[in-house]
């Protein structure tokens, strides 16, 4: 099959090849509307596919960005990806999405792959141990925006939740309902993932400020598959929490598995609140209170910040971390202590 060329489109539309090139490169503000329509129809009828690689080599721009999320299983991650996609569509960018699986080596491989594809910039949910690579990108004046997690030095714009504030809101909600024996469930903090560490810091700080000494035995920080076994050991103790704070959606899922296994009723036997909201929390048998992140705003802002860096072509020495305010979504999983009305099974 003969490959359709730009010249073929030009002949079909009755215009010059340079006019077709201007159309493909979105430079048609001075192009007559009938001309634009003829070129558009010629491209559609012939099935012409522009060579964006050749275009990017000529312009030194590919109109593509890479997004590397730490863990795509998080509702938080998928919502931010969707917001970035919307912003890309509006600004006529394309995007590649990669899942690093919280693995620094995998993240490095994806960064190399995306650079080979000549992306114009990266949005990264940074994992641990890649600071040297980030610094190398910075020395190359390559545009990057960090989301959700901070690195050792603020060498790039960073957008993330006010995590300590999120934990404070959650703990105060439990305290307000009369709960003083509060446990926490988190994914592992061995790699010092900043949202997890900050939320646990906020958890302990808020308890202490309210005259309660945090019980280290009631704070579970494990890899996901080890959370349920750790909670089972906790439940063997005579002194147990009466409420739980889950630091994200995945740790909440493991907590719910444990509660179901033990046939414990949310709102009756134990109260639950978590960071990260999602539709399933609202439709659970006992709807679960959550600390909601403004995910779509974060994604939109991250994309727009990256587009600005790409246009500026000069990366500053350092940047402030932009923090977003969390919002409490009250549901039925946090009951007034001793209140057993309307409690239901998980």
């Amino acid at each position: 099959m003969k490959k359709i060329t730009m010249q073929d489109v030009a002949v079909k539309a009755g215009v010059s090849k340079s006019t077709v090139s201007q159309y493909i490169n979105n430079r048609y503000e001075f192009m007559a509307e009938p001309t634009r329509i003829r070129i558009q129809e010629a491209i559609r009828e012939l099935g012409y596919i522009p060579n964006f690689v050749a275009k990017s080599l000529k312009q030194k721009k590919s109109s593509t960005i890479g997004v590397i999320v730490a863990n795509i299983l998080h509702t938080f991650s998928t919502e931010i990806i969707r917001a970035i996609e919307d912003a890309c569509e509006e600004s006529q960018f394309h995007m590649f999405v990669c899942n690093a699986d919280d693995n620094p080596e995998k993240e490095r491989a994806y960064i190399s792959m995306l650079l080979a594809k000549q992306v114009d910039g990266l949005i990264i949910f940074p994992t641990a141990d890649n600071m040297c690579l980030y610094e190398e990108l910075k020395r190359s004046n390559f545009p990057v925006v960090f989301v959700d997690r901070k690195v050792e030095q603020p060498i790039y714009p960073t957008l993330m939740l006010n995590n300590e504030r999120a934990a404070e809101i959650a703990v105060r909600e439990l305290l307000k309902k009369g709960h003083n024996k509060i446990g926490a469930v988190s994914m592992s903090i061995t790699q010092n993932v900043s949202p997890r560490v900050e939320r646990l810091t906020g958890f302990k700080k808020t308890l202490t400020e309210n005259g309660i000494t945090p019980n280290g035995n009631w704070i579970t920080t494990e890899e996901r598959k080890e959370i349920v076994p750790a909670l089972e050991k906790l439940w063997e103790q005579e002194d147990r929490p009466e409420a739980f704070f889950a630091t994200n959606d995945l740790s909440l899922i493991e907590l719910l598995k444990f509660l179901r296994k033990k046939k414990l009723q949310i709102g009756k036997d134990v109260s639950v609140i978590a960071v990260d909201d999602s539709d399933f929390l609202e439709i659970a048998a006992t709807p679960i209170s959550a600390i909601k992140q403004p995910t779509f705003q974060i994604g939109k802002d991250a994309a727009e910040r990256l587009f600005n860096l790409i246009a500026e072509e000069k990366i500053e020495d350092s940047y402030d971390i932009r923090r977003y305010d969390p919002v409490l979504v009250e549901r039925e999983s946090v009951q007034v202590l001793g209140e057993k009305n309307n409690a239901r099974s998980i």
Side-chain angles (χ1 to χ4, degrees), residues 46 48 51 72 124 126 146 151 204 242 260 290 328 332 341:
L46 293 173
Y48 173 65
N51 188 340
I72 204 167
I124 303 175
F146 291 135
V151 298
K204 296 173 185 177
E242 60 202 15
R260 177 183 286 275
L328 172 64
E332 299 169 30
N341 296 331

Side-chain angles (χ1 to χ4, degrees), residues 67-172:
V67 180
I68 306 176
V69 298
N71 191 331
I72 204 167
L73 293 177
H74 289 290
T75 301
F76 166 83
S77 299
T78 55
E79 289 182 354
I80 285 188
I81 290 169
R82 174 55 194 270
I84 294 171
E85 181 186 27
D86 289 344
C88 284
E89 182 178 10
E90 185 175 333
S91 298
Q92 296 180 323
F93 272 78
H94 301 281
M95 61 184 265
F96 296 103
V97 178
C98 305
N99 172 42
D101 240 354
D102 279 314
N103 184 332
E105 292 183 6
K106 198 171 180 181
E107 181 186 70
R108 285 195 294 273
Y110 277 133
I111 290 174
S112 298
M113 180 270 289
L114 291 168
L115 293 177
K117 289 186 178 295
Q118 298 184 308
V119 296
D120 296 331
L122 294 171
I123 295 174
I124 303 175
F125 296 48
T127 61
D129 301 328
N130 277 331
M131 193 64 206
C132 290
L133 178 54
Y134 305 147
E135 290 173 341
E136 184 179 337
L137 292 171
K138 182 65 176 284
R139 287 192 293 271
S140 300
N141 204 43
F142 189 81
V144 174
V145 171
F146 291 135
V147 170
D148 186 46
R149 303 173 176 187
K150 63 182 182 180
V151 298
E152 298 169 14
Q153 303 169 19
I155 59 175
Y156 281 116
T158 302
L159 288 64
M160 61 192 300
L161 185 69
N162 186 336
N163 291 297
E164 288 196 25
R165 175 62 179 155
E168 178 188 358
I169 292 172
V171 173
R172 289 190 181 280

